[in-house]
């Protein structure tokens, strides 16, 4: 007779694997029906999961697809948590930050000085 497969609560595993900061946040995401286990939507945080199950969920505007490798005993440091799963997420090309050209963010100090000189030149009531 073989040993039963080790299992753990879904919300607890998501918390131990450090996908969510608290177990209640993990439970909220599962309760909202935003987690799939082996392509089946799940809405109960107490759903038992174990090694071999594939989870799909959204975290920080990215779709995560992970295969559970181990249940884990505790919520340890990040390197320990990364041993609990295999990341199967599709690689998404991120926009690279391009300092300088084509800026649309905050103006630099030089940009602000240039704006002030242009404003002063256009304002007939500006004090000199």
């Amino acid at each position: 007779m073989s040993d039963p497969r080790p299992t753990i609560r879904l919300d607890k595993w998501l918390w131990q694997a450090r996908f969510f900061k608290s177990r209640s946040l993990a439970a909220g995401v599962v309760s909202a029906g935003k987690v799939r286990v082996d392509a089946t939507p799940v809405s109960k945080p107490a759903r038992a999961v174990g090694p071999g199950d594939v989870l799909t969920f959204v975290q920080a505007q990215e779709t995560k697809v992970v295969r559970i490798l181990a249940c884990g005993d505790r919520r340890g440091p990040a390197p320990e948590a990364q041993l609990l799963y295999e990341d199967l997420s599709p690689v998404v090309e991120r926009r690279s930050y391009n300092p300088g050209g084509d800026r649309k963010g905050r103006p630099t100090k030089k940009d602000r000085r240039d704006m002030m000189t242009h404003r002063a030149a256009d304002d007939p009531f500006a004090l000199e």
Side-chain angles (χ1 to χ4, degrees):
M1 191 176 266
S2 65
D3 292 331
R5 181 177 89 136
T7 59
I8 188 171
R9 285 176 57 112
L10 176 58
D11 62 335
K12 189 172 181 180
W13 187 88
L14 288 168
W15 171 70
Q16 284 182 356
R18 295 187 161 267
F19 286 108
F20 296 98
K21 283 188 174 187
S22 69
R23 195 166 156 191
S24 61
L25 284 174
V29 170
V30 176
S31 295
K34 298 184 179 185
V35 178
R36 292 176 176 259
V37 176
D38 295 329
T40 305
V42 177
S43 62
K44 296 194 178 204
R47 164 76 152 74
V49 294
D53 289 337
V54 177
L55 306 180
T56 307
F57 56 95
V58 176
Q59 180 194 30
Q61 291 82 32
E62 288 185 30
T63 302
K64 296 279 189 179
V65 181
V66 295
R67 176 178 290 124
I68 298 175
L69 299 177
C71 289
D73 299 324
R74 66 186 186 116
R75 185 173 201 252
E80 186 179 311
Q82 290 170 350
L83 298 175
L84 299 178
Y85 63 90
E86 175 187 358
D87 194 1
L88 305 173
S89 301
V91 177
V92 178
E93 187 175 320
R94 297 177 187 252
R95 293 186 198 174
S96 63
Y97 175 67
N98 183 12
D102 298 337
R103 291 190 63 141
K104 295 189 180 174
R106 285 180 67 173
T108 63
K109 191 171 185 176
K110 182 184 181 311
D111 294 338
R112 288 193 301 272
R113 276 191 243 118
D114 290 345
M115 285 189 288
M116 292 306 289
T117 53
H118 290 317
R119 255 189 223 148
D122 294 341
D123 188 7
F125 301 108
L127 299 174
E128 293 185 28

